[in-house]
């Protein structure tokens, strides 16, 4: 065995396990099969890399073995390293994709929940307005900061409702409708202290009495 055999193996600087299979061929030839395996590589495509086979006499193999295997083995080692990196990046990409999808699903669910709450709140406002309870409807209009996308609609709705009720002198509110009108008072008040005016006949009767 070449005294520098293992030093030369180490000099290859490869990743994985180097498997050598040596068998006797025809006549005085030998067949050496060199196979690099990397268990850290998760890509099943690594199994498609064939072993590197050498055939020759013992003298020929001693002289040219490392010269022949260095480039193919280092290429295979680099290929499997790249496969390993690729698989790790692919796995990371899958995780990131799952995280992005999960985030998107959460945002979609939150948006649907906000829309549901907004519709329920405005439905309640509609019901109170139909009942003529304008102040209650005004108070039930949702906060525009909670629903920024509907903020303009909310402000307009609140403004419209505020015009349907007015405050009284005591700080309370009075709701008015278009059909409500103050009653007309056609009653004529009589002054009980007013004395009836005498007519002309009564005046003449008094004059006749005085003459007598």
């Amino acid at each position: 065995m070449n005294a520098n055999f293992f030093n030369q193996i180490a000099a290859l600087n490869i990743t994985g396990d180097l498997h050598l299979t040596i068998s006797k061929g025809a006549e005085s030839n030998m067949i050496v099969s060199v196979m690099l395996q990397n268990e850290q590589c998760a890509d099943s495509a690594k199994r498609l890399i064939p072993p590197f086979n050498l055939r020759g006499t013992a003298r020929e193999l001693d002289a040219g073995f490392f010269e022949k295997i260095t480039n193919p083995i280092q290429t295979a080692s680099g290929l499997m390293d790249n496969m390993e990196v690729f698989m790790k990046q692919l796995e990371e990409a899958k995780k990131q994709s799952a995280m992005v999808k999960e985030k998107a699903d959460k945002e979609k669910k939150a948006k649907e929940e906000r829309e549901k709450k907004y519709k329920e709140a405005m439905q309640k406002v509609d019901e109170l307005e139909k009942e003529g309870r304008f102040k209650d409807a005004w108070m039930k209009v949702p906060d525009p900061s909670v629903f920024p996308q509907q903020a303009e609609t909310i402000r307009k709705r609140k403004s419209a409702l505020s015009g349907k009720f007015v405050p009284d002198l005591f700080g309370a509110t009075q709701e008015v409708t278009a059909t409500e009108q103050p009653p007309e008072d056609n009653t004529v008040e009589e002054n009980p202290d007013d004395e009836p005016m005498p007519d002309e006949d009564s005046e003449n009767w008094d004059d006749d009495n005085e003459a007598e």
Side-chain angles (χ1 to χ4, degrees):
M1 179 180 293
N2 192 326
N4 294 324
F5 182 82
F6 291 104
N7 285 329
Q8 290 179 286
I9 291 291
L12 293 175
N13 193 26
I14 57 178
T15 302
D17 303 326
L18 190 64
H19 294 257
L20 298 178
T21 303
I22 303 173
S23 59
K24 189 175 181 179
E27 300 179 356
S28 58
N29 289 333
M30 301 181 66
I31 301 172
V32 179
S33 179
V34 183
M35 182 70 178
L36 182 65
Q37 294 184 353
N38 185 351
E39 297 299 329
Q40 300 300 319
C41 179
D43 193 339
S44 59
K46 67 181 181 181
R47 298 189 181 94
L48 299 177
I49 300 176
F52 185 72
N53 297 319
L54 292 174
R55 185 188 302 270
T57 64
R59 185 182 296 273
E60 291 172 339
L61 291 172
D62 283 338
F65 178 76
F66 285 99
E67 180 183 353
K68 296 294 185 180
I69 72 167
T70 297
N71 187 56
I73 294 300
Q74 287 180 341
T75 300
S77 177
L79 178 60
M80 283 189 279
D81 283 343
N82 290 337
M83 288 180 179
E84 180 183 359
V85 172
F86 172 77
M87 292 303 294
K88 288 181 178 179
Q89 291 177 340
L90 182 62
E91 188 65 26
E92 183 64 23
K94 288 180 179 179
K95 290 180 181 179
Q96 292 294 330
S97 178
M99 291 174 62
V100 170
K101 184 177 183 301
E102 182 180 0
K103 181 180 179 182
D105 290 343
K106 286 182 178 180
E107 291 177 351
K108 181 180 179 181
K109 185 177 180 180
K111 181 180 179 181
E112 291 176 349
E113 188 66 23
R114 284 195 303 270
E115 290 178 350
K116 180 181 178 182
K117 289 182 179 180
Y118 171 75
K119 290 180 180 178
E120 289 176 349
M122 296 304 285
Q123 184 178 357
K124 184 63 177 178
V125 171
D126 291 340
E127 292 174 357
L128 292 171
E129 184 179 11
K130 288 179 181 178
E131 294 174 4
R133 298 165 59 185
F134 304 117
K135 176 64 175 178
D136 292 337
W138 181 85
M139 294 179 66
K140 287 294 184 179
V141 175
D143 188 346
S145 64
V146 179
F147 305 99
Q149 293 182 343
Q150 293 87 7
E152 186 63 24
T153 302
I154 291 173
R155 293 190 187 99
K156 289 182 179 179
R157 188 63 182 280
K158 201 156 192 174
S159 177
L161 286 169
S162 65
K164 295 185 178 182
F165 62 88
V166 293
D168 64 12
L169 296 178
F170 301 98
T173 57
Q174 179 182 3
E175 297 178 352
V176 296
T177 63
T179 58
E180 291 181 352
Q181 295 180 352
E184 295 183 358
D185 187 0
N186 296 324
T187 306
V188 178
E189 295 184 356
E190 296 182 356
N191 189 348
D193 296 332
D194 292 342
E195 295 181 357
M197 296 294 293
D199 55 21
E200 294 179 355
D201 294 338
S202 62
E203 290 180 357
N204 296 333
W205 182 82
D206 290 339
D207 292 340
D208 292 344
N209 289 338
E210 289 179 359
E212 293 178 355

